[in-house]
Amino acid sequence: MNKLKTVYTCQNCGAESPKWIGRCPSCDQWNTYVEEIVASTSKSASPPLTSAGSPPLRLSEIADLHLDRLDTGIAEFNRVLGGGLVPGSLVLIGGEPGIGKSTLVLQLALSLKGKKILYASGEESLQQIKLRANRLKMESKGSWFLAETSLEMVMHTVEQEKPDILVVDSIQTMATDKIESSPGSVAQVRECTAVLLRHAKKYHMTVILIGHINKEGNLAGPKVLEHIVDTVIQFEGDNRHYFRVLRSTKNRFGSTAELGIFEMRQNGLVEVPNPSDHLLSGDGDPVSGTAIAATIEGVRPFLLEIQSLVSSAAYGMPQRSSTGFDLRRLNMLLAVLEKRAGFKLTSRDVFLNVAGGLRITDPATDLAVLVAILSSSLDLAVDHHTCFTGEAGLTGEVRAVSRIEQRIAEAARLGFRRMFIPRYNKGFDTSAYPLEIIRVARVEEVFRKLFGNK
Ligand code: TYD
Ligand code: MG
């Protein structure tokens, strides 16, 4: 009879301890240790990948890896994967509930041609999947569906059907009999993933895992999982907005700089190949408080609108609130405005919003943020044909940005007439672009050129 062994496992990082502890010594989280029963045979449940005794090889003796990537039929998804799915690899897609993970993989399952796909759902019944497929108005003969939470049953089906792609929705609902812990616990998730990994390599099958995200925005529990899989993809966006962004945070077969942009519509996710076209509110009279930033997220340049509202603080402490832009950076920019450009905003509320519900991390957005705030504060509008790119330094200098030419080219493509860029971005021919380029060294210079000496 197997002797039962219990360990305490940190549900955040997977660290183990023989006794309960309040604070995890490896990830510093509190109250994350949960007792888990592990059958003493579980060690043998994960045999090594190579058989014992394989000799080491010289580089020249190792056969080249030919990546026959599978076209997913969704261009934005291919882009994030680095060109398509790699056979035998494990891809983890993480995201908050309701963001559209199941929709994305179902669309993938239904749009892949000539490949056999097994979609194992532990979250939804077959009827619910059918309902979603009807909503997507898609049909496919190459995909098979299974509502199952037992990993052994899923593996049994895999052995019989030998699919090219296995989708597991979600890894937190799967459980193996080998371990007594409840589904979703670190031990279960880790063991299930290890079994899936072995099958992926054995059958040369791509496995797509769906993982939930906890309230801190991490993949729930299994940090350990991120080490096992080949590719980690985050699906993010604001539930109330229609934009969804797919970005990879780890990719053994491609770069992590790529970004895929989708729009959630009534009948599923629609790719957005030219995000700028959707992110600019366009014509109409210019209103104060908006400025257009020429940003680059991933490797794609796009222009988007930054909106700001500055108003008198009604009660005591003024509020600073920001959606889609780092709040600490906003505070830093407000301090720069005050100290370097002499604008007093200490007794005023400042709200900032990035259009489309996108989250922007490109520091070159700073200049547009500063202009939007000032535009709202002075109640003076900036015309629609002007855009900005530049990082603001603490002394009020406008610092050089990366890939300036790509940004200018995108602004030119969209018909902008005027663009403020950092003076220190040198070494290219501005006359090659059909728009007026204004080089600036300091933020005050931008303000003077836009608003005069108000
Ligand atoms: P879902 O894919 O179930 O999200 P997840 O698997 O990440 O939890 O779907 C998320 C939301 O998308 C759901 O609230 C309904 C909405 N939705 C649409 O707007 N259009 C559609 O065509 C579909 C299928 C879903
Ligand atoms: Mg789902």
Side-chain angles (χ1 to χ4, degrees), residues 5-257:
K5 187 183 147 210
T6 69
V7 286
Y8 289 83
T9 316
C10 169
Q11 300 296 303
N12 185 52
C13 71
E16 287 179 1
S17 159
K19 60 181 195 321
W20 189 84
I21 32 183
R23 183 180 186 179
C24 175
S26 82
C27 70
D28 284 343
Q29 296 291 308
W30 287 91
N31 286 330
T32 51
Y33 276 78
V34 170
E35 183 176 23
E36 290 182 347
I37 304 163
V38 196
S40 56
T41 51
S42 76
K43 278 276 177 283
S44 62
S46 313
L49 278 175
T50 47
S51 52
S54 8
L57 295 176
R58 288 203 182 86
L59 264 186
S60 58
E61 292 165 348
I62 304 172
D64 278 332
L65 181 66
H66 290 291
L67 299 177
D68 299 325
R69 294 180 187 262
L70 295 177
D71 177 3
T72 61
I74 306 174
E76 296 285 300
F77 196 15
N78 285 343
R79 183 206 291 272
V80 176
L81 289 166
L85 288 167
V86 175
S89 70
L90 246 71
V91 180
L92 173 66
I93 302 179
E96 286 175 22
I99 206 74
K101 302 178 295 297
S102 303
T103 310
L104 179 72
V105 288
L106 183 62
Q107 277 183 232
L108 166 91
L110 299 179
S111 55
L112 256 167
K113 300 258 167 352
K115 295 288 168 199
K116 195 165 174 183
I117 300 161
L118 177 65
Y119 186 129
S121 177
E123 305 224 324
E124 288 161 315
S125 67
L126 294 176
Q127 284 76 18
Q128 281 171 307
I129 296 175
K130 175 91 193 241
L131 210 65
R132 181 176 287 130
N134 290 344
R135 194 169 170 184
L136 300 175
K137 300 196 177 58
M138 289 169 93
E139 193 68 59
S140 161
K141 296 203 168 60
S143 27
W144 302 77
F145 296 90
L146 182 71
E148 188 56 70
T149 54
S150 154
L151 186 73
E152 277 72 24
M153 290 307 292
V154 174
M155 286 306 124
H156 180 68
T157 317
V158 164
E159 268 150 35
Q160 283 186 332
E161 300 289 338
K162 306 232 170 24
D164 298 297
I165 298 176
L166 169 70
V167 174
V168 177
D169 186 2
S170 64
I171 186 68
Q172 276 102 348
T173 53
M174 290 292 149
T176 164
D177 304 340
K178 297 220 171 62
I179 287 191
E180 317 238 340
S181 315
S182 55
S185 65
V186 169
Q188 274 291 1
V189 165
R190 186 166 38 193
E191 189 55 37
C192 288
T193 311
V195 172
L196 286 164
L197 176 73
R198 256 179 292 126
H199 279 77
K201 305 292 169 200
K202 184 170 165 196
Y203 296 111
H204 213 53
M205 150 183 95
T206 308
V207 178
I208 300 178
L209 303 172
I210 290 184
H212 291 297
I213 271 186
N214 60 16
K215 54 185 184 304
E216 284 87 34
N218 298 320
L219 277 163
K223 266 256 174 288
V224 270
L225 210 78
E226 295 185 12
H227 300 296
I228 308 175
V229 302
D230 299 299
T231 307
V232 180
I233 290 177
Q234 300 271 15
F235 202 25
E236 52 188 45
D238 191 328
N239 255 337
R240 292 155 297 170
H241 287 87
Y242 46 87
F243 274 111
R244 300 284 183 271
V245 178
L246 204 58
R247 58 173 109 218
S248 78
T249 53
K250 165 182 174 178
N251 195 351
R252 285 188 184 144
F253 306 108
S255 107
T256 53

